[in-house]
Amino acid sequence: MKYLEKIMFLAMMSLLLWSCGASKPAYTKTISKSSASSNLRNLKSSSFGNVSYKVKKILNDAEDYLGTPYKFGGTTKKGLDCSGLVITVFSENDYKLPRRSEEQAKEGTRVEVQSVKPGDLLFFATSGGSKVTHVGIVNEISFRGDITFIHASTTKGVIISSLNDAYWNKAFLFARRVL
């Protein structure tokens, strides 16, 4: 039994280290938890409740892109990168943001993770360190405070992930409110 547990643990860790794990686009929410959850930061929000019409519209528009493949520099249904998803969805709703995630990280107001709301932007350092290399839009806050976000991953395209996933939890830098 110990051997099987080790294999399962190694398989889960391999998936987490492989950023977004599959070459096939994901069309549904992908929310998982690592077995190493004791090493995760407590990244939960207490902002549970209703969202405004404008935020609902942005999130609905973002969800329309679920399954869209990743394309560096892309801003269409043919392909998007992470900052391309953000500028496209916000632009469709008459909000202008800079093109690059590094520049988007300077917009709006910094928000503590405990106060994030749907529609806020989450910024990540996927290469380690503190340089912004990825952005996502807060999608939902569960009644327990768990945060999900929609983003364009390099291997799965546009998906919804959890900030409780070990990979994203470790890479998370900060949040900003632009609405």
Side-chain angles (χ1 to χ4, degrees):
M1 192 63 163
K2 281 275 194 201
Y3 180 73
L4 183 59
E5 289 174 357
K6 285 181 182 178
I7 289 174
M8 293 299 291
F9 177 75
L10 289 172
M12 288 180 72
M13 293 308 292
S14 296
L15 286 173
L16 291 172
L17 291 175
W18 190 24
S19 178
C20 298
S23 59
K24 194 169 146 187
Y27 292 94
T28 60
K29 295 181 181 182
T30 57
I31 301 171
S32 64
K33 291 190 179 183
S34 164
S35 60
S37 62
S38 62
N39 295 331
L40 298 180
R41 295 180 286 171
N42 184 16
L43 301 178
K44 294 186 178 235
S45 175
S46 58
S47 298
F48 179 75
N50 294 329
V51 297
S52 70
Y53 173 78
K54 67 181 175 182
V55 169
K56 283 182 189 175
K57 177 87 170 75
I58 285 172
L59 295 175
N60 285 338
D61 289 350
E63 287 180 1
D64 285 344
Y65 288 95
L66 285 171
T68 299
Y70 180 88
K71 180 180 179 188
F72 181 75
T75 58
T76 70
K77 279 269 195 189
K78 290 183 180 181
L80 296 160
D81 62 15
C82 63
S83 58
L85 173 66
V86 171
I87 66 159
T88 299
V89 169
F90 277 74
S91 179
E92 289 173 353
N93 289 277
D94 299 321
Y95 293 96
K96 302 295 179 212
L97 291 171
R99 175 61 177 98
R100 297 175 54 233
S101 58
E102 280 181 290
E103 298 303 316
Q104 292 172 357
K106 299 172 186 171
E107 296 292 312
T109 306
R110 192 169 178 139
V111 179
E112 294 302 319
V113 71
Q114 297 82 3
S115 300
V116 298
K117 297 178 181 181
D120 289 345
L121 300 180
L122 302 178
F123 294 93
F124 302 87
T126 56
S127 302
S130 60
K131 182 181 178 190
V132 171
T133 57
H134 191 71
V135 61
I137 306 167
V138 175
N139 191 55
E140 291 180 343
I141 311 293
S142 76
F143 70 93
R144 292 184 350 220
D146 296 325
I147 301 165
T148 61
F149 61 100
I150 189 165
H151 63 113
S153 74
T154 55
T155 57
K156 290 185 177 179
V158 179
I159 60 172
I160 295 174
S161 298
S162 172
L163 205 50
N164 285 332
D165 288 343
Y167 178 83
W168 297 114
N169 187 284
K170 181 180 177 186
F172 176 74
L173 292 173
F174 56 87
R176 296 197 67 91
R177 183 163 298 143
V178 295
L179 298 174

